[in-house]
Coordinates of all heavy atoms in Angstrom, one line a residue:
M1 N 11.4 1.2 -5.6 CA 10.6 0.7 -6.7 C 9.1 1.2 -6.6 O 8.5 1.1 -5.5 CB 10.5 -0.8 -6.7 CG 9.6 -1.4 -7.7 SD 9.5 -3.2 -7.6 CE 10.2 -3.7 -9.2
K2 N 8.6 1.7 -7.7 CA 7.2 2.1 -7.7 C 6.4 1.1 -8.5 O 6.9 0.6 -9.5 CB 7.0 3.5 -8.2 CG 7.6 4.5 -7.2 CD 7.2 6.0 -7.7 CE 7.8 6.9 -6.7 NZ 7.5 8.3 -7.0
Y3 N 5.1 0.9 -8.2 CA 4.3 0.1 -9.0 C 3.3 0.9 -9.8 O 3.7 2.0 -10.3 CB 3.6 -0.9 -8.0 CG 4.5 -1.8 -7.3 CD1 4.9 -1.5 -6.0 CD2 5.1 -2.9 -7.9 CE1 5.8 -2.3 -5.3 CE2 6.0 -3.7 -7.3 CZ 6.4 -3.4 -6.0 OH 7.3 -4.2 -5.4
I4 N 2.2 0.4 -10.0 CA 1.2 1.2 -10.9 C 0.7 2.4 -10.1 O 0.4 2.3 -8.9 CB 0.0 0.3 -11.3 CG1 0.6 -0.9 -12.0 CG2 -1.0 1.0 -12.1 CD1 -0.4 -2.0 -12.3
K5 N 0.7 3.6 -10.7 CA 0.3 4.8 -10.1 C -1.1 4.8 -9.6 O -2.0 4.4 -10.3 CB 0.6 6.0 -11.0 CG 2.0 6.5 -11.0 CD 2.1 7.7 -11.9 CE 2.3 9.0 -11.2 NZ 3.2 9.1 -10.2
N6 N -1.3 5.4 -8.4 CA -2.6 5.7 -7.8 C -3.6 4.5 -7.8 O -4.8 4.7 -8.0 CB -3.3 6.8 -8.6 CG -2.4 8.1 -8.6 OD1 -1.9 8.4 -7.6 ND2 -2.3 8.7 -9.8
V7 N -3.1 3.3 -7.5 CA -4.0 2.2 -7.4 C -4.0 1.6 -6.0 O -4.9 0.9 -5.6 CB -3.8 1.1 -8.4 CG1 -4.1 1.5 -9.8 CG2 -2.4 0.5 -8.3
A8 N -3.0 1.9 -5.2 CA -2.9 1.3 -3.8 C -4.0 1.8 -3.0 O -4.3 3.0 -2.9 CB -1.6 1.6 -3.2
K9 N -4.7 0.9 -2.3 CA -5.9 1.3 -1.5 C -5.4 1.3 0.0 O -5.6 0.3 0.7 CB -7.0 0.3 -1.7 CG -7.5 0.1 -3.1 CD -8.3 1.4 -3.5 CE -8.9 1.1 -4.9 NZ -9.6 2.3 -5.4
I10 N -4.9 2.4 0.4 CA -4.4 2.6 1.8 C -4.7 4.0 2.2 O -4.6 5.0 1.4 CB -2.9 2.3 1.9 CG1 -2.4 2.5 3.3 CG2 -2.1 3.0 0.9 CD1 -1.0 2.0 3.6
E11 N -5.2 4.1 3.4 CA -5.4 5.4 4.0 C -4.9 5.5 5.4 O -5.0 4.5 6.2 CB -6.9 5.8 3.9 CG -7.4 6.0 2.5 CD -8.8 6.6 2.4 OE1 -9.4 6.7 3.5 OE2 -9.2 6.8 1.3
I12 N -4.5 6.7 5.9 CA -4.1 6.8 7.3 C -5.0 7.9 7.9 O -5.1 9.0 7.3 CB -2.6 7.3 7.4 CG1 -1.7 6.2 6.9 CG2 -2.3 7.6 8.8 CD1 -0.2 6.5 6.8
N13 N -5.6 7.6 9.0 CA -6.4 8.6 9.7 C -5.5 9.3 10.7 O -5.1 8.8 11.7 CB -7.5 7.8 10.5 CG -8.5 8.8 11.2 OD1 -8.1 9.9 11.6 ND2 -9.7 8.4 11.3
Q14 N -5.1 10.5 10.3 CA -4.2 11.3 11.1 C -4.7 11.7 12.4 O -4.0 12.0 13.4 CB -3.6 12.4 10.3 CG -2.7 12.0 9.1 CD -1.9 13.1 8.6 OE1 -2.4 14.2 8.5 NE2 -0.7 12.8 8.2
E15 N -6.1 11.8 12.6 CA -6.6 12.2 13.8 C -6.4 11.1 14.9 O -6.2 11.4 16.0 CB -8.1 12.5 13.7 CG -8.4 13.8 13.0 CD -9.9 14.1 12.9 OE1 -10.6 13.6 13.7 OE2 -10.2 15.0 12.1
K16 N -6.4 9.8 14.4 CA -6.2 8.7 15.3 C -4.7 8.5 15.6 O -4.3 8.0 16.6 CB -6.8 7.4 14.7 CG -8.3 7.3 14.8 CD -8.6 5.9 14.3 CE -10.1 5.6 14.3 NZ -10.4 4.3 13.8
C17 N -3.9 8.8 14.6 CA -2.4 8.5 14.7 C -1.8 9.1 15.9 O -1.9 10.3 16.1 CB -1.7 8.9 13.4 SG 0.1 8.7 13.4
G18 N -1.0 8.3 16.7 CA -0.3 8.8 17.8 C 1.2 9.0 17.5 O 2.0 9.4 18.4
G19 N 1.6 8.7 16.3 CA 3.0 9.0 15.9 C 4.0 8.0 16.4 O 5.2 8.3 16.6
C20 N 3.6 6.8 16.8 CA 4.5 5.8 17.4 C 5.6 5.3 16.5 O 6.6 4.8 17.0 CB 3.7 4.6 18.0 SG 2.9 3.6 16.7
G21 N 5.3 5.3 15.2 CA 6.4 4.9 14.3 C 6.4 3.4 13.9 O 7.2 2.9 13.2
I22 N 5.5 2.6 14.6 CA 5.4 1.2 14.3 C 5.2 0.9 12.8 O 5.9 0.1 12.2 CB 4.4 0.5 15.1 CG1 4.8 0.6 16.6 CG2 4.2 -1.0 14.7 CD1 3.7 0.0 17.6
C23 N 4.3 1.7 12.2 CA 4.0 1.4 10.8 C 5.3 1.6 9.9 O 5.5 0.9 8.9 CB 2.9 2.3 10.3 SG 3.1 4.0 10.6
L24 N 6.1 2.6 10.2 CA 7.3 2.8 9.5 C 8.2 1.6 9.6 O 8.9 1.2 8.6 CB 8.1 4.0 10.0 CG 7.7 5.4 9.5 CD1 6.3 5.8 10.1 CD2 8.7 6.4 10.0
N25 N 8.3 1.1 10.8 CA 9.3 0.0 11.1 C 8.8 -1.3 10.4 O 9.7 -2.1 10.0 CB 9.4 -0.2 12.6 CG 10.1 0.9 13.2 OD1 10.9 1.6 12.6 ND2 9.8 1.2 14.5
V26 N 7.6 -1.5 10.3 CA 7.1 -2.8 9.7 C 6.9 -2.7 8.2 O 6.9 -3.8 7.5 CB 5.8 -3.3 10.3 CG1 6.0 -3.6 11.8 CG2 4.6 -2.4 10.1
C27 N 6.8 -1.6 7.6 CA 6.6 -1.5 6.2 C 7.9 -1.9 5.4 O 8.9 -1.3 5.6 CB 6.3 0.0 5.8 SG 6.0 0.2 4.0
P28 N 7.7 -2.9 4.5 CA 8.9 -3.3 3.7 C 9.3 -2.4 2.6 O 10.3 -2.6 2.0 CB 8.4 -4.7 3.2 CG 7.0 -4.5 3.1 CD 6.5 -3.6 4.2
H29 N 8.5 -1.4 2.3 CA 8.8 -0.6 1.1 C 8.9 0.9 1.4 O 8.7 1.7 0.5 CB 7.7 -0.8 0.0 CG 7.9 -2.1 -0.7 ND1 7.5 -2.3 -2.0 CD2 8.6 -3.2 -0.4 CE1 7.9 -3.5 -2.4 NE2 8.5 -4.1 -1.4
A30 N 9.0 1.3 2.6 CA 9.2 2.7 3.0 C 8.2 3.6 2.5 O 8.4 4.7 1.9 CB 10.6 3.2 2.6
V31 N 6.9 3.2 2.6 CA 5.8 3.9 2.1 C 5.4 5.1 3.0 O 4.9 6.1 2.6 CB 4.6 3.0 1.9 CG1 3.3 3.7 1.5 CG2 4.9 1.9 0.9
I32 N 5.6 4.9 4.3 CA 5.1 5.8 5.3 C 6.2 6.6 6.0 O 7.3 6.1 6.2 CB 4.3 5.0 6.4 CG1 3.2 4.2 5.7 CG2 3.8 6.0 7.5 CD1 2.6 3.2 6.7
S33 N 5.9 7.9 6.2 CA 6.8 8.8 7.0 C 6.0 9.5 8.1 O 4.8 9.4 8.1 CB 7.4 9.9 6.0 OG 8.2 9.3 5.0
I34 N 6.8 10.1 8.9 CA 6.1 10.9 10.0 C 6.5 12.3 10.0 O 7.8 12.6 9.8 CB 6.4 10.3 11.4 CG1 5.7 8.9 11.5 CG2 6.0 11.2 12.5 CD1 5.8 8.3 12.9
D35 N 5.6 13.2 10.1 CA 5.9 14.6 10.2 C 5.1 15.2 11.3 O 3.8 15.0 11.3 CB 5.6 15.3 8.8 CG 6.0 16.7 8.8 OD1 7.1 17.1 9.3 OD2 5.2 17.6 8.3
E36 N 5.7 15.9 12.1 CA 5.0 16.6 13.3 C 4.1 15.6 14.1 O 3.0 15.9 14.4 CB 4.2 17.8 12.8 CG 5.1 18.8 12.2 CD 4.4 20.1 11.9 OE1 3.2 20.2 12.0 OE2 5.1 21.1 11.4
G37 N 4.7 14.4 14.2 CA 4.0 13.4 15.1 C 2.8 12.7 14.4 O 2.1 12.0 15.1
K38 N 2.7 12.8 13.1 CA 1.6 12.1 12.4 C 2.2 11.4 11.2 O 3.0 11.9 10.4 CB 0.6 13.2 11.9 CG -0.1 14.0 13.0 CD -1.0 13.1 13.8 CE -1.7 13.9 14.9 NZ -2.6 13.1 15.7
A39 N 1.7 10.1 11.0 CA 2.1 9.4 9.9 C 1.4 9.8 8.6 O 0.3 10.3 8.7 CB 1.8 7.9 10.1
F40 N 2.1 9.8 7.5 CA 1.5 10.1 6.2 C 2.2 9.2 5.1 O 3.2 8.7 5.3 CB 1.6 11.6 5.9 CG 3.0 12.0 5.6 CD1 3.4 12.2 4.3 CD2 3.9 12.3 6.6 CE1 4.7 12.6 3.9 CE2 5.2 12.7 6.3 CZ 5.6 12.9 5.0
L41 N 1.5 9.1 4.0 CA 1.9 8.3 2.9 C 2.9 9.1 2.0 O 2.4 9.9 1.2 CB 0.7 7.8 2.1 CG -0.3 7.0 2.9 CD1 -1.6 6.8 2.1 CD2 0.3 5.6 3.3
S42 N 4.2 8.9 2.2 CA 5.2 9.7 1.5 C 5.5 9.0 0.1 O 6.0 9.7 -0.7 CB 6.4 9.9 2.3 OG 6.9 8.7 2.8
N43 N 5.2 7.8 0.0 CA 5.5 7.0 -1.2 C 4.4 6.0 -1.5 O 4.6 4.8 -1.6 CB 6.8 6.3 -1.1 CG 8.0 7.2 -1.2 OD1 8.2 7.9 -2.2 ND2 8.8 7.2 -0.1
K44 N 3.2 6.5 -1.7 CA 2.0 5.6 -1.8 C 2.1 4.6 -2.9 O 1.7 3.5 -2.8 CB 0.8 6.5 -2.0 CG -0.5 5.7 -1.9 CD -1.7 6.6 -2.0 CE -3.0 5.8 -2.0 NZ -4.2 6.7 -2.1
D45 N 2.7 5.0 -4.0 CA 2.8 4.1 -5.2 C 3.8 3.0 -5.0 O 3.9 2.0 -5.8 CB 3.2 4.9 -6.4 CG 2.1 5.8 -6.9 OD1 0.9 5.6 -6.5 OD2 2.4 6.8 -7.5
R46 N 4.5 3.0 -3.9 CA 5.4 1.8 -3.5 C 4.7 0.8 -2.7 O 5.2 -0.3 -2.5 CB 6.6 2.3 -2.7 CG 7.5 3.2 -3.6 CD 8.6 3.8 -2.8 NE 9.5 2.7 -2.3 CZ 10.8 2.8 -2.0 NH1 11.4 3.9 -2.1 NH2 11.4 1.8 -1.5
C47 N 3.5 1.1 -2.3 CA 2.7 0.2 -1.4 C 2.3 -1.1 -2.1 O 1.8 -1.0 -3.2 CB 1.5 0.9 -0.8 SG 0.4 -0.2 0.2
I48 N 2.6 -2.3 -1.5 CA 2.2 -3.5 -2.1 C 1.0 -4.1 -1.4 O 0.6 -5.3 -1.6 CB 3.3 -4.5 -2.1 CG1 3.8 -4.8 -0.6 CG2 4.5 -4.1 -3.0 CD1 4.8 -5.9 -0.5
E49 N 0.3 -3.3 -0.5 CA -0.9 -3.8 0.2 C -0.7 -5.0 1.0 O -1.6 -5.9 1.0 CB -2.0 -3.9 -0.8 CG -2.4 -2.6 -1.5 CD -3.2 -2.8 -2.8 OE1 -3.3 -3.9 -3.2 OE2 -3.7 -1.8 -3.3
C50 N 0.4 -5.1 1.6 CA 0.7 -6.3 2.4 C -0.1 -6.4 3.7 O -0.4 -7.4 4.3 CB 2.2 -6.5 2.7 SG 2.8 -5.2 3.8
G51 N -0.5 -5.2 4.2 CA -1.3 -5.1 5.4 C -0.5 -5.0 6.7 O -1.1 -4.9 7.8
A52 N 0.8 -5.1 6.7 CA 1.6 -5.1 7.9 C 1.3 -3.8 8.8 O 1.2 -3.9 10.0 CB 3.1 -5.2 7.6
C53 N 1.3 -2.7 8.1 CA 1.1 -1.5 8.9 C -0.3 -1.5 9.5 O -0.5 -1.1 10.7 CB 1.2 -0.3 8.0 SG 0.1 -0.3 6.5
D54 N -1.3 -1.9 8.8 CA -2.7 -2.0 9.3 C -2.8 -2.9 10.5 O -3.3 -2.5 11.6 CB -3.6 -2.5 8.1 CG -5.0 -2.4 8.5 OD1 -5.4 -2.1 9.6 OD2 -5.8 -2.8 7.6
I55 N -2.2 -4.1 10.4 CA -2.2 -5.0 11.5 C -1.5 -4.6 12.8 O -2.0 -4.8 13.9 CB -1.6 -6.4 11.0 CG1 -2.5 -7.0 9.9 CG2 -1.4 -7.3 12.2 CD1 -1.8 -8.2 9.2
N56 N -0.5 -3.9 12.6 CA 0.4 -3.5 13.7 C 0.1 -2.1 14.3 O 0.6 -1.8 15.4 CB 1.9 -3.5 13.3 CG 2.4 -5.0 13.1 OD1 2.6 -5.6 14.1 ND2 2.5 -5.4 11.9
C57 N -0.7 -1.3 13.7 CA -1.0 0.0 14.3 C -1.9 -0.2 15.5 O -3.0 -0.8 15.5 CB -1.8 0.8 13.3 SG -2.3 2.4 13.9
P58 N -1.4 0.3 16.7 CA -2.1 0.1 17.9 C -3.4 0.9 18.1 O -4.2 0.6 19.0 CB -1.0 0.6 19.0 CG -0.2 1.6 18.2 CD -0.1 1.1 16.8
V59 N -3.6 1.9 17.2 CA -4.9 2.7 17.4 C -5.8 2.5 16.1 O -6.7 3.3 16.0 CB -4.5 4.1 17.6 CG1 -3.8 4.3 19.0 CG2 -3.7 4.7 16.5
N60 N -5.4 1.5 15.3 CA -6.3 1.2 14.1 C -6.4 2.5 13.2 O -7.5 2.8 12.8 CB -7.6 0.7 14.6 CG -8.3 -0.1 13.5 OD1 -7.7 -0.6 12.6 ND2 -9.6 -0.2 13.6
A61 N -5.3 3.2 13.0 CA -5.4 4.4 12.2 C -5.2 4.2 10.7 O -5.4 5.1 9.9 CB -4.4 5.4 12.7
I62 N -4.8 2.9 10.4 CA -4.5 2.6 9.0 C -5.5 1.6 8.4 O -5.8 0.7 9.0 CB -3.1 2.1 8.8 CG1 -2.1 3.1 9.4 CG2 -2.7 1.8 7.3 CD1 -0.6 2.6 9.3
G63 N -6.0 1.9 7.2 CA -6.9 1.0 6.5 C -6.3 0.6 5.2 O -5.9 1.5 4.4
V64 N -6.1 -0.7 5.0 CA -5.6 -1.2 3.7 C -6.5 -2.2 3.2 O -7.0 -3.1 3.9 CB -4.2 -1.9 3.9 CG1 -3.7 -2.5 2.6 CG2 -3.2 -1.0 4.5
E65 N -6.9 -2.0 1.9 CA -7.7 -3.0 1.2 C -6.8 -3.9 0.5 O -6.3 -3.6 -0.6 CB -8.7 -2.4 0.3 CG -10.0 -1.9 0.9 CD -10.9 -1.4 -0.2 OE1 -11.5 -2.3 -0.9 OE2 -11.1 -0.2 -0.3
K66 N -6.5 -5.0 1.1 CA -5.5 -5.9 0.6 C -5.9 -6.5 -0.8 O -7.0 -7.0 -0.9 CB -5.2 -7.1 1.6 CG -4.3 -6.5 2.7 CD -3.9 -7.7 3.6 CE -4.8 -7.7 4.8 NZ -4.4 -8.7 5.8
G67 N -5.0 -6.4 -1.7 CA -5.2 -7.1 -3.0 C -6.2 -6.5 -4.0 O -6.5 -7.1 -5.0
V68 N -6.7 -5.3 -3.7 CA -7.7 -4.7 -4.6 C -7.0 -3.6 -5.5 O -7.6 -3.2 -6.5 CB -8.9 -4.1 -3.9 CG1 -9.7 -5.2 -3.2 CG2 -8.5 -3.0 -2.9
G69 N -5.8 -3.2 -5.1 CA -5.2 -2.1 -5.9 C -4.1 -2.6 -6.7 O -4.3 -3.4 -7.7
C70 N -2.8 -2.3 -6.3 CA -1.7 -2.6 -7.1 C -1.5 -4.1 -7.3 O -1.3 -4.5 -8.5 CB -0.4 -2.1 -6.3 SG 1.1 -2.3 -7.2
A71 N -1.5 -4.9 -6.3 CA -1.3 -6.3 -6.4 C -2.3 -6.9 -7.4 O -2.0 -7.7 -8.3 CB -1.3 -7.0 -5.1
S72 N -3.6 -6.5 -7.2 CA -4.6 -7.0 -8.0 C -4.5 -6.6 -9.5 O -4.6 -7.4 -10.5 CB -6.0 -6.6 -7.5 OG -7.0 -7.0 -8.4
A73 N -4.0 -5.4 -9.7 CA -3.8 -4.9 -11.1 C -2.7 -5.7 -11.8 O -2.8 -6.0 -13.0 CB -3.6 -3.4 -11.0
I74 N -1.6 -5.9 -11.0 CA -0.5 -6.6 -11.6 C -0.9 -8.1 -12.0 O -0.7 -8.6 -13.1 CB 0.7 -6.6 -10.7 CG1 1.3 -5.2 -10.6 CG2 1.8 -7.6 -11.1 CD1 2.3 -5.0 -9.5
I75 N -1.6 -8.7 -11.0 CA -2.0 -10.1 -11.3 C -3.0 -10.2 -12.5 O -2.9 -11.0 -13.4 CB -2.7 -10.7 -10.0 CG1 -1.6 -10.9 -9.0 CG2 -3.4 -12.1 -10.4 CD1 -2.1 -11.2 -7.6
S76 N -3.9 -9.2 -12.5 CA -4.9 -9.2 -13.7 C -4.1 -9.0 -15.0 O -4.5 -9.6 -16.0 CB -5.8 -8.0 -13.5 OG -6.6 -8.2 -12.4
S77 N -3.1 -8.2 -15.0 CA -2.3 -7.9 -16.2 C -1.6 -9.2 -16.6 O -1.5 -9.5 -17.8 CB -1.3 -6.8 -16.0 OG -0.2 -7.2 -15.3
W78 N -1.2 -10.0 -15.7 CA -0.6 -11.3 -16.0 C -1.6 -12.2 -16.8 O -1.3 -12.7 -17.8 CB -0.1 -12.1 -14.8 CG 1.0 -11.5 -14.1 CD1 1.9 -10.5 -14.6 CD2 1.4 -11.7 -12.8 NE1 2.8 -10.2 -13.6 CE2 2.6 -11.0 -12.5 CE3 0.9 -12.6 -11.7 CZ2 3.2 -11.0 -11.2 CZ3 1.6 -12.6 -10.5 CH2 2.7 -11.8 -10.3
F79 N -2.8 -12.3 -16.2 CA -3.8 -13.1 -16.9 C -4.2 -12.6 -18.2 O -4.5 -13.3 -19.1 CB -5.0 -13.3 -15.9 CG -4.8 -14.2 -14.8 CD1 -4.8 -13.7 -13.5 CD2 -4.5 -15.5 -15.0 CE1 -4.5 -14.6 -12.4 CE2 -4.2 -16.4 -14.0 CZ -4.2 -15.9 -12.7
T80 N -4.3 -11.2 -18.3 CA -4.7 -10.6 -19.6 C -3.7 -10.9 -20.7 O -4.0 -11.3 -21.8 CB -4.8 -9.1 -19.4 OG1 -5.8 -8.9 -18.4 CG2 -5.3 -8.5 -20.7
R81 N -2.4 -10.8 -20.3 CA -1.3 -11.1 -21.2 C -1.4 -12.6 -21.6 O -1.2 -12.9 -22.8 CB 0.0 -10.8 -20.6 CG 0.5 -9.4 -20.9 CD 1.9 -9.2 -20.7 NE 2.3 -9.6 -19.3 CZ 2.7 -8.7 -18.4 NH1 2.9 -7.4 -18.8 NH2 3.0 -9.0 -17.2
S82 N -1.6 -13.5 -20.6 CA -1.5 -14.9 -20.9 C -2.7 -15.3 -21.8 O -2.6 -16.1 -22.7 CB -1.5 -15.8 -19.7 OG -2.7 -15.7 -19.0
K83 N -3.9 -14.7 -21.6 CA -5.0 -15.0 -22.5 C -4.8 -14.5 -23.8 O -5.0 -15.2 -24.8 CB -6.3 -14.2 -21.9 CG -7.1 -15.0 -21.0 CD -8.4 -14.2 -20.6 CE -9.2 -14.9 -19.6 NZ -10.3 -14.1 -19.2
A84 N -4.2 -13.2 -24.0 CA -3.9 -12.7 -25.3 C -2.9 -13.6 -26.0 O -3.1 -13.8 -27.2 CB -3.3 -11.3 -25.1
S85 N -1.9 -14.1 -25.3 CA -0.9 -14.9 -26.0 C -1.5 -16.2 -26.5 O -1.0 -16.7 -27.5 CB 0.3 -15.1 -25.1 OG -0.1 -15.9 -24.0
K86 N -2.5 -16.7 -25.8 CA -3.1 -18.0 -26.2 C -4.0 -17.8 -27.4 O -4.1 -18.7 -28.2 CB -4.0 -18.5 -25.1 CG -3.2 -19.2 -24.0 CD -4.2 -19.7 -22.9 CE -3.3 -20.2 -21.7 NZ -4.1 -20.5 -20.5
T87 N -4.5 -16.6 -27.6 CA -5.4 -16.4 -28.8 C -4.7 -16.0 -30.0 O -5.2 -16.0 -31.1 CB -6.5 -15.3 -28.4 OG1 -5.8 -14.1 -28.1 CG2 -7.4 -15.7 -27.3
I88 N -3.4 -15.7 -29.9 CA -2.6 -15.3 -31.1 C -2.2 -16.5 -31.9 O -1.9 -17.5 -31.4 CB -1.4 -14.5 -30.7 CG1 -1.8 -13.1 -30.2 CG2 -0.5 -14.2 -31.9 CD1 -0.7 -12.3 -29.6
Ligands
LIG1 S1 1.4 2.7 13.7 FE1 -0.5 3.9 13.7 S2 -0.3 5.3 15.5 FE2 1.8 4.5 15.0 S3 2.6 6.1 13.6 FE3 1.7 4.5 12.3 S4 -0.5 5.2 11.9 FE4 0.4 6.4 13.7
LIG2 S1 0.4 -2.2 3.3 FE1 2.5 -3.0 3.5 S2 3.6 -1.9 1.8 FE2 1.7 -0.8 2.1 S3 2.2 0.9 3.5 FE3 1.5 -0.9 4.8 S4 3.3 -2.0 5.4 FE4 3.9 -0.7 3.7

């Protein structure tokens, strides 16, 4: 499943990444892959910004801004729709 395109706020610092694979194992949406010993975002638009990869990375190579991208956009759209339906 993909969410809204290009809104997830997540980055991987490949210079810090040691390729341990923990982020792959904890990610519930298969967002991250490893190539040549370095993690990269193979399915960024599937990220729900849960922060599991960020919390579990032993070298702090992942940065996730929780709730400012996809999740926030979806929640905002709910409120926008509910406001619009009240004014009709
Ligand atoms: S958990 Fe961190 S060090 Fe391990 S593969 Fe993922 S980004 Fe790299
Ligand atoms: S924040 Fe959550 S969904 Fe996004 S890549 Fe990390 S573990 Fe996967």
Side-chain angles (χ1 to χ4, degrees):
M1 173 187 246
K2 289 188 180 180
Y3 296 99
I4 301 170
K5 275 182 107 45
N6 300 320
V7 294
K9 301 288 186 185
I10 177 171
E11 291 189 356
I12 297 176
N13 183 331
Q14 291 195 322
E15 287 184 18
K16 286 185 176 179
C17 175
C20 67
I22 292 173
C23 53
L24 277 70
N25 292 330
V26 299
C27 178
H29 282 207
V31 173
I32 303 169
S33 299
I34 289 187
D35 185 40
E36 297 186 359
K38 299 289 180 182
F40 70 100
L41 299 168
S42 53
N43 287 300
K44 186 176 179 181
D45 291 336
R46 295 175 61 152
C47 177
I48 57 170
E49 298 163 345
C50 67
C53 55
D54 186 359
I55 291 166
N56 286 285
C57 176
V59 295
N60 202 23
I62 304 179
V64 178
E65 275 188 72
K66 286 187 258 182
V68 298
C70 184
S72 178
I74 290 170
I75 290 166
S76 294
S77 74
W78 291 342
F79 285 115
T80 304
R81 269 200 300 249
S82 66
K83 269 187 186 173
S85 65
K86 283 179 186 169
T87 55
I88 291 172

